[in-house]
């Protein structure tokens, strides 16, 4: 595209490997120069660095000082040829001795306009994020093609342009899509500060490993960055695949060209009032998600980036369903009520004078040791065993005892509380441990968890019921990863348990597992003992899964139409 004063279009020649790059800090062709300024003049016949080193004088030396001092390749030959035929009409990036000089050049060109972006670029030297083989190119204002890892490091002027447009503030959440070397991720982390959050995502593990190494070096070299910046998180993720980041980020930088029809996927990651810079076609766009969720945009400049890797619709739908099924296999545990129960238990004990100071509130938990408790005022009696307890604690923590002690019945004040014969001593002891400590011992067997679950259901401790459901669902997941035959045998038994006891969370998790692994589960012995009602549950779940699949396909096909942002052009020159 043409500068307002230049006579010909700015030219950037991409090698074949540049064109084939898949979305990691991908790079653009150099945009036109600042409005009102001609690009720097270069005389015809300008040579390479090798020519300058042989002692050629005059214009050839000036040209060599400004060229990327990289290894000779076809890209260099093509650029030299264009300089030869175009004379002073080719726009070159600015060369600098170090990072500070590079930032000053960008300030002089009015690319860096704010103190915050200037400080971020100074705190995150480009040289720290450039491989050793390309170190001599680090402070040239031009893209660097990292051939062995097949990604580009964008020109500094483009990083600065995007950061200025985004206006990243402290405490915000920043996402760098196609994070590549990690230099923009680092700038984002510096701008959001310790109160904010910064995430860089890429599709190749070796690139992520490189960026993590660069970030480690930056923290070692720059103590102020380590103390002031958010700790960047790097994830192996295709941005178009489902994630937990919906409506999550305040600012997003996208380092590769996004197809128009896929913009809605990126916009969905923005909070209301959030902003994103993203190349679409040859436009670098600034997209803002309004408070009502609708996007608007304006074009910042013309660019050339390589494309983000877009998965197929089928891959997106299947990945979405897998993520949803994985989430449904997990049983979330509700928040603890221990703090409130602790206060109630202490109040009850003080009212009755039954346990003196044996029950104490301590930071939201009952500071009680079952072994050293003094002055118990009731005892749980089982088949040949007893367990001492306190009426105030049982009343505060268990629906059953709360109803019994307040019933006014003859047995309401009994000191001996009979335990149903099906509940064993060990299960009841663990149950009391939870009542007093709000936790279960580690490494409980599935059978023991089921025993505790029955006790929790009987005595009315809803949170403990859900904890047991969560442990059983997790056990099924673990067995599935270790021995699918065991998992296939366990699943129908867990479904029967859930159905018989009204355990909706466990039932949902097990149904999803059975449908996803139906071929294996249907061959198990335990499956043959399922009731017609339980088999019908599986059939209904399978139908719902098929219905969800169709909904996702429909939503995907309609999203590009319903969420296409309106366009508003800005000035056509590079800023």
């Amino acid at each position: 595209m043409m500068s307002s004063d230049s006579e010909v279009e700015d030219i950037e020649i991409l090698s074949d490997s540049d064109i084939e790059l898949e979305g990691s800090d991908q790079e653009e062709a150099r945009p036109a120069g600042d409005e009102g300024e001609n690009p720097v003049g270069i005389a015809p016949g300008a040579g390479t660095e090798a020519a300058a080193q042989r002692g050629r004088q005059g214009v050839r030396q000036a040209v060599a000082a400004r060229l990327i001092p990289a290894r000779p390749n076809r890209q260099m030959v093509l650029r030299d040829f264009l300089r030869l035929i175009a004379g002073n009409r080719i726009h070159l990036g600015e060369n600098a001795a170090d990072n500070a000089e590079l930032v000053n050049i960008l300030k002089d060109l009015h690319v860096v306009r704010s103190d915050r972006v200037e400080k971020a670029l100074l705190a995150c030297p480009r040289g720290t994020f450039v491989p050793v083989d390309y170190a001599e190119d680090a402070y040239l204002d031009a893209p660097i093609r990292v051939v062995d890892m097949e990604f580009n490091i964008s020109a500094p002027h483009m990083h600065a342009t995007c950061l200025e447009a985004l206006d990243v503030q402290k405490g915000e959440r920043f996402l760098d899509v196609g994070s590549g070397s990690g230099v923009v991720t680092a700038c984002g982390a510096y701008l959001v500060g310790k109160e904010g959050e910064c995430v860089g995502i890429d599709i190749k593990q070796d690139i992520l490993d490189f960026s993590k190494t660069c970030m480690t070096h930056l923290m070692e070299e720059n103590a102020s960055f380590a103390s002031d910046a958010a700790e960047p998180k790097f994830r192996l993720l295709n941005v178009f695949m489902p994630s937990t980041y919906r409506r999550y980020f305040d600012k997003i930088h996208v380092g590769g060209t996004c197809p128009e029809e896929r913009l809605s996927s990126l916009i969905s990651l923005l909070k209301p009032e959030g902003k994103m810079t993203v190349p679409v076609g040859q436009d670098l766009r600034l997209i803002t998600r309004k408070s009502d969720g609708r996007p608007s945009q304006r074009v910042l400049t013309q660019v050339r980036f390589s494309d983000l890797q877009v998965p197929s619709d089928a891959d997106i739908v299947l990945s979405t369903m897998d993520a949803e099924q994985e989430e449904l296999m997990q049983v979330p545990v509700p928040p603890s009520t221990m703090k409130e129960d602790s206060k109630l238990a202490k109040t009850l004990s003080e009212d009755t004078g039954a346990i003196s100071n044996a029950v104490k509130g301590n930071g939201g938990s009952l500071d009680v040791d079952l072994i050293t408790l003094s002055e118990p005022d009731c005892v749980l009696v089982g088949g040949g065993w007893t367990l001492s307890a306190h009426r105030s604690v049982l009343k505060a923590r268990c629906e059953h005892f709360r109803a019994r002690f307040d019933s006014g019945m003859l047995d309401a004040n009994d000191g001996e509380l009979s335990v149903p014969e099906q509940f064993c001593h060990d299960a009841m002891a663990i149950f009391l441990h939870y009542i007093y400590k709000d936790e279960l011992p580690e490494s409980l067997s599935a059978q023991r968890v089921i025993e505790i679950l029955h006790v929790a259901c009987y005595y009315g401790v809803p949170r403990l019921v859900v904890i047991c459901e969560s442990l059983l669902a997790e056990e099924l997941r673990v067995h599935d990863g270790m021995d699918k035959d065991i998992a296939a045998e366990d699943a129908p038994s867990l479904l029967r348990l859930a159905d018989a006891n009204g355990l909706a969370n466990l039932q949902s998790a097990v149904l999803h597992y059975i449908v996803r692994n139906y071929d294996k589960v249907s061959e198990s012995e335990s499956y043959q003992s399922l009731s017609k009602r339980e088999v019908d549950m599986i059939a209904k779940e399978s139908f719902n899964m098929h219905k969800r699949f169709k909904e996702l396909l429909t939503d995907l096909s309609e999203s590009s139409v319903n969420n296409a942002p309106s366009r508003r052009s800005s000035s056509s020159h590079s800023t």
Side-chain angles (χ1 to χ4, degrees):
M1 126 150 217
M2 297 179 64
S3 167
S4 58
D5 291 335
S6 62
E7 298 178 11
V8 298
E9 184 173 77
D10 283 353
I11 301 173
E12 175 79 4
I13 299 300
L14 302 178
S15 67
D16 291 344
S17 57
D18 285 321
I19 297 172
E20 295 169 357
L21 176 63
E22 294 180 344
S24 298
D25 201 12
Q26 289 91 346
E27 181 52 342
E28 70 293 345
R30 173 74 183 196
D34 283 351
E35 184 174 12
E37 295 181 345
N38 269 328
V40 177
I42 299 297
T48 63
E49 181 183 18
Q53 290 174 342
R54 289 195 298 268
R56 298 184 181 182
Q57 303 298 317
V59 175
R60 286 186 180 274
Q61 288 181 326
V63 170
R66 303 184 65 90
L67 289 177
I68 300 176
R71 295 131 303 283
N73 54 32
R74 188 178 66 171
Q75 183 173 348
M76 289 290 295
V77 173
L78 288 171
R79 285 182 175 177
D80 286 345
F81 174 72
L82 288 170
R83 291 187 182 94
L84 179 64
I85 64 174
N88 66 354
R89 296 172 296 176
I90 297 296
H91 183 86
L92 294 178
E94 294 286 349
N95 200 2
D98 55 26
N99 189 57
E101 184 178 342
L102 174 61
V103 174
N104 282 332
I105 290 172
L106 296 178
K107 286 180 63 180
D108 292 341
L109 295 173
H110 306 293
V111 178
V112 173
R113 302 186 303 275
S114 67
D115 290 341
R116 284 178 52 75
V117 171
E118 178 184 359
K119 290 178 181 178
L121 294 174
L122 289 173
C124 308
R126 192 184 192 216
T128 305
F129 296 87
V130 172
V132 174
D133 290 345
Y134 302 84
E136 58 188 2
D137 306 348
Y139 300 114
L140 182 73
D141 186 19
I144 298 174
R145 173 68 172 167
V146 183
V147 178
D148 53 342
M149 285 189 283
E150 298 185 328
F151 78 98
N152 286 5
I153 302 174
S154 294
H157 75 270
M158 187 51 58
H159 292 161
T161 297
C162 292
L163 292 172
E164 289 285 4
L166 288 172
D167 189 26
V168 183
Q169 298 297 313
K170 285 190 177 298
E172 291 187 331
R173 290 171 174 169
F174 178 83
L175 173 64
D176 186 16
V177 178
S179 52
S181 68
V183 61
V184 175
T185 312
C187 289
Y190 182 86
L191 289 168
V192 301
K194 287 293 185 184
E195 306 84 4
E197 183 176 350
C198 181
V199 179
I201 63 173
D202 211 295
I203 61 172
K204 294 183 178 180
Q205 187 61 54
D206 59 337
I207 296 176
L208 286 177
D209 292 341
F210 172 72
S211 59
K212 291 176 183 178
T213 300
C214 293
M215 198 66 67
T216 300
H217 290 161
L218 177 63
M219 291 185 176
E220 292 172 349
E221 296 166 359
N222 189 340
S224 64
F225 178 90
S227 62
D228 297 339
E231 182 175 355
K233 303 173 185 176
F234 290 97
R235 289 193 59 192
L236 183 67
L237 178 68
N238 187 308
V239 71
F240 299 109
M241 289 299 194
S243 70
T244 59
Y245 290 137
R246 188 174 180 85
R247 286 176 169 261
Y248 190 80
F249 293 101
D250 298 285
K251 304 293 168 59
I252 298 177
H253 167 266
V254 181
T257 300
C258 176
E260 187 88 46
E261 64 273 13
R262 298 293 187 183
L263 268 179
S264 59
S265 297
L266 302 185
I267 294 170
S268 70
L269 305 178
L270 281 173
K271 289 180 177 180
E273 305 298 339
K275 294 181 180 180
M276 169 173 62
T277 55
V278 53
V280 183
Q282 293 188 351
D283 296 340
L284 177 63
R285 302 183 188 178
L286 175 65
I287 294 178
T288 302
R289 186 172 194 172
K290 298 179 181 179
S291 57
D292 61 4
R294 294 184 298 111
S296 65
Q297 72 173 353
R298 64 185 178 93
V299 177
L300 298 175
T301 187
Q302 300 293 297
V303 294
R304 170 81 68 82
F305 279 71
S306 54
D307 294 338
L308 293 174
Q309 179 171 299
V310 180
S312 68
D313 288 354
D315 286 339
I316 293 175
V317 170
L318 290 174
S319 180
T320 301
M321 291 198 67
D322 284 343
E324 291 180 353
Q325 301 303 314
E326 189 70 17
E327 184 177 351
L328 289 169
M329 279 289 294
Q330 300 176 13
V331 177
V333 177
S336 172
T337 61
M338 192 63 169
K339 185 174 183 179
E340 294 75 15
D341 294 345
S342 174
K343 292 178 180 178
L344 176 59
K346 185 175 182 180
T347 299
L348 292 171
S349 68
E350 290 171 349
D351 289 344
T352 61
I355 62 171
S356 185
N357 295 320
V359 180
K360 300 177 181 178
N362 181 14
S365 63
L366 289 175
D367 186 16
V368 176
D369 189 329
L370 291 175
I371 299 175
T372 61
L373 274 176
S374 60
E375 304 180 36
D377 57 355
C378 67
V379 61
L380 300 175
V381 181
W385 55 265
T386 61
L387 289 168
S388 297
H390 301 83
R391 291 169 63 89
S392 60
V393 177
L394 296 179
K395 182 176 180 179
R397 300 280 281 162
C398 307
E399 295 173 356
H400 171 90
F401 291 114
R402 189 153 53 245
R404 177 172 177 173
F405 296 159
D406 291 340
S407 67
M409 303 294 287
L410 292 177
D411 63 353
N413 296 314
D414 285 354
E416 291 189 0
L417 307 172
S418 297
V419 175
E421 61 181 12
Q422 67 267 29
F423 298 157
C424 68
H425 171 273
D426 290 347
M428 286 300 300
I430 295 173
F431 171 74
L432 281 182
H433 179 88
Y434 173 82
I435 294 301
Y436 281 94
K437 296 286 191 177
D438 206 42
E439 64 184 15
L440 291 177
E442 296 181 0
S443 303
L444 293 173
S445 67
Q447 183 56 43
R448 185 67 76 199
V449 172
I450 292 173
E451 293 172 357
I452 298 166
L453 173 63
H454 284 302
V455 174
C457 288
Y458 180 83
Y459 286 112
V461 187
R463 184 171 181 272
L464 180 55
V465 171
V466 178
I467 290 175
C468 292
E469 290 181 276
S470 180
L471 290 173
L472 292 172
E474 180 62 24
E475 183 83 357
L476 182 61
R477 284 158 48 88
V478 171
H479 283 171
D480 181 60
M482 298 176 60
D483 191 330
K484 291 187 179 295
D485 289 333
I486 295 177
E489 194 67 43
D490 288 345
S493 299
L494 291 174
L495 180 58
R496 290 199 305 273
L497 173 69
D499 185 36
N501 293 276
L503 306 174
N505 296 302
L506 181 60
Q507 178 177 295
S508 176
V510 174
L511 281 173
H512 281 90
Y513 178 83
I514 291 175
V515 171
R516 293 177 69 185
N517 300 274
Y518 183 77
D519 289 347
K520 193 76 173 177
V521 174
S522 62
E523 296 176 354
S524 66
E525 291 184 10
S526 59
Y527 182 84
Q528 310 309 318
S529 62
L530 291 177
S531 67
K532 180 180 182 303
R533 166 188 166 85
E534 291 156 354
V535 173
D536 287 346
M537 289 180 184
I538 297 172
K540 182 177 180 180
E541 183 62 32
S542 180
F543 170 78
N544 289 337
M545 190 176 295
H546 176 71
K547 182 180 178 181
R548 176 59 177 154
F549 183 84
K550 292 178 65 176
E551 289 174 350
L552 288 171
L553 284 175
T554 301
D555 291 345
L556 195 62
S557 64
E558 294 178 349
S559 62
S560 60
V561 176
N562 297 333
N563 294 293
S566 60
R567 296 185 60 186
R568 180 166 64 86
S569 293
S570 180
S571 58
S572 59
H573 62 277
S574 175
T575 54

